[in-house]
Amino acid sequence: MSQTPRTLVGGAPSATYVLRFDGRELTAQAGQSIAAVLWGAGILAWRTTRERGAPRGAFCGIGSCYDCLVTVNGRPNQRACLVPARPGDTVTTQEGTGHAELGV
Amino acid sequence: MPSSASDPATPGPAPDLAVVGAGPAGLAAAVNAAGLGLRVVLLDAGERPGGQYYRHPAPGLGADRPEALHHGWSAFAEREAALRAHRAAGRITYLPAHHVWTVVPDGPAWTLHAVAGPDEAAATLHARAVLLATGSYERQLPFPGWTLPGVVGAGGAQAMLKSGLVLPGRRVVVAGSGPLLLAVAGSLAAAGARVPAVVEAAAYGGYAGHVPALLRNPGKLAEAATYGSALLHRHIRLLTRHAVTEAHGADRVEAVTVARLDRDWRPVPGTARRIPCDALAVGHGLVPQLELATGLGCATRRSADGTAALALDAGQRTSVPGIWSAGETGGIGGAQLALLEGEIAAHAIAGRPVPAALARRRARLRAFADAMGAAHRPGTGWTEWLRDDTDACRCEEVPAGRIREAVADLGARDARTVKLLTRAGMGWCQGRMCGPAVAALAGEDPAPDRRPLSCPVPLRHLAELPPADG
Ligand SMILES: Cc1cc2nc3c(=O)[nH]c(=O)nc-3n(C[C@H](O)[C@H](O)[C@H](O)COP(=O)(O)OP(=O)(O)OC[C@H]3O[C@@H](n4cnc5c(N)ncnc54)[C@H](O)[C@@H]3O)c2cc1C
Ligand code: FES
């Protein structure tokens, strides 16, 4: 690939840091969402559905579909496309839990 | 009523105007209203102003040229500078990361309830007038394989690229319907993806009946020509009157089937072929996001593209006095129109006459949007892409066959009954993704968004609400 998103917009991140995803170490650029970090590492699925255990990841990219739910630092049901990645985050695949503790 | 510490708008008198949404419409409204002397609170679910169109990398991501992914960046930069100046002068309180989940009448004023920040704190605000500028989300029409990882929204791919500088794959087919596809294909290719094809379900001949609207919008034609020539330049094929009718792969997309469509969007037998790819960016236009407005009882109308939008008067008033709206909540029409309507609303809310030039420009852009909407409105035959085992509802994993059964055998005549019988639309997204499909299978036009809450709300916030006074 000659062109990349980075070469298109130029510049460099103010920092890069490591987060852990299911035991793997991934590099995040400051300011990326967790979904962006995962896409950047070629990972498109980080959740399995409640009924059939089917793999899912980011779909709508803007916080409306809830397909990208993930557990961040032990907190389940976070929308990976919205949550900024922070240094040292531990992200784990989420097995589709229901609506626990939320009114939808 | 208790207000959280994250609520700098209190104490003090209630502001004149609360604007919900800091996209082009809300941002333009807020800065113009402040310029006309109103005290404004601007709330947005996102971390940065700009909405879906001017979505851009966080400062930490260090992009020197964020404008490389945008048309008309200067229009945003100007408003953002104005926002900063008004904040510094105390005329605008800007509350990012505030997701408003309900607006309720409160005597002569309004109370807004929001979920704030990563800790999901409760925030409560009051204002004398409310402008809803909550924009839109993508319209998705399901097909076999659309739940595979690697199938992403077309606007979603664009959003992830603009805000996170990432791509879903290296070879990305772009499919669906609407002018957004050309913009998405152009950005993905500029950012280094190979785009084997743009697959558009409508025939551009659909514009033929709307030549006057097109001719009155030379700027829009020039924009389309720019997108078109960018595709040519990159050797991207544009297939019109075609659709992706299936995505293939085990754990992620490996190829898609593309078929020719007849006038009603029914796949023509014998025309299917495969295109290898590792991602598919798909969307069939946009749907106005109306739940706060419908919750307040604002009247809606049917737009040319088949979606429900708010019915608004010349001053951007909804049918509920004191509630205004601007941008895509009033019908899908693009960022330019959203900016303009925000400005018009600001005049009207401040009690000033709306400048005639603004009203004329709005009429012209709305006519153009209607022409586009009519050209790209889904034909009824698209439901033939659905096999009985295709999930129509992604959240609750309800296959199309079960919805067809509810309609054919159990007598469901509308999406609401289908929902009760099958759970389609009862999951996390509250029907945002499956709504158009379920309505089509139930044989009706999609209904306006009706959700009690516009986002999931921690139960403790609901528990803390004072009882309604009636
Ligand atoms: C995913 C996506 C991608 C798009 N990409 C493009 C593109 O590349 N090119 C193009 O020309 N057009 C694109 N569009 C269309 C474009 O977004 C619109 O034309 C334009 O942004 C409309 O402006 P708006 O102000 O009406 O709404 P928006 O820009 O959508 O702004 C609405 C704002 O309201 C906020 N909001 C919504 N609900 C709430 C709530 N309850 N509480 C608080 N805040 C809320 C949102 O966070 C958002 O910031 C895209 C649309 C979508 C949905
Ligand atoms: S991708 Fe849809 S909510 Fe995150």
Side-chain angles (χ1 to χ4, degrees), chain B residues 21 24-25 44-45 51-53 98-100 133 135 158 162 180 327-328 334-335 454:
Chain B
D44 193 277
Q52 302 311 344
Y53 186 72
H98 275 60
H99 201 139
V100 177
Q158 180 84 326
K162 284 178 174 179
L180 180 59
E328 303 221 297
S454 86

Side-chain angles (χ1 to χ4, degrees), chain A residues 1 3-9 11-14 29-30 32 36 44 49-52 56 59-60 62 64 66-67 98 103, chain B residues 52 60-62 64-65 118 147 151 153 156 164-166 170 190-192 252 391 394 396-397 428-429 453 456-457 459:
Chain A
M1 235 194 275
Q3 183 74 276
T4 65
R6 170 57 72 187
T7 54
L8 181 65
V9 299
S14 61
Q29 302 178 28
Q32 285 183 315
L44 291 174
T49 59
R50 207 156 25 134
E51 286 285 314
R52 272 178 245 141
R56 295 281 175 85
F59 179 63
C60 73
I62 63 164
S64 1
Y66 294 81
D67 245 342
Chain B
Q52 302 311 344
L61 206 38
D64 288 342
R65 296 183 299 273
T147 53
V151 178
L165 304 182
V166 287
R170 288 164 166 268
R252 58 169 297 167
D391 276 335
R394 299 171 72 90
E396 295 290 318
E397 300 179 274
W428 282 96
C429 87
L453 315 175
V457 175
L459 288 180

Side-chain angles (χ1 to χ4, degrees), chain B residues 346-364:
Chain B
H347 279 85
I349 297 167
R352 306 290 176 95
V354 174
L358 296 188
R360 273 198 306 276
R361 273 185 61 209
R362 180 184 48 194
R364 205 162 61 216

Side-chain angles (χ1 to χ4, degrees), chain A residues 82-84 86, chain B residues 44-49 56 58 94-98 117-118:
Chain A
L82 298 185
V83 178
R86 306 213 189 271
Chain B
D44 193 277
E47 309 249 346
R48 287 181 300 286
H56 54 281
Y94 169 51
L95 302 175
H98 275 60

Side-chain angles (χ1 to χ4, degrees), chain A residues 87-103:
Chain A
D89 276 347
T90 300
V91 177
T92 43
T93 297
Q94 171 161 324
E95 300 185 2
T97 55
H99 307 239
E101 62 170 315
L102 288 172

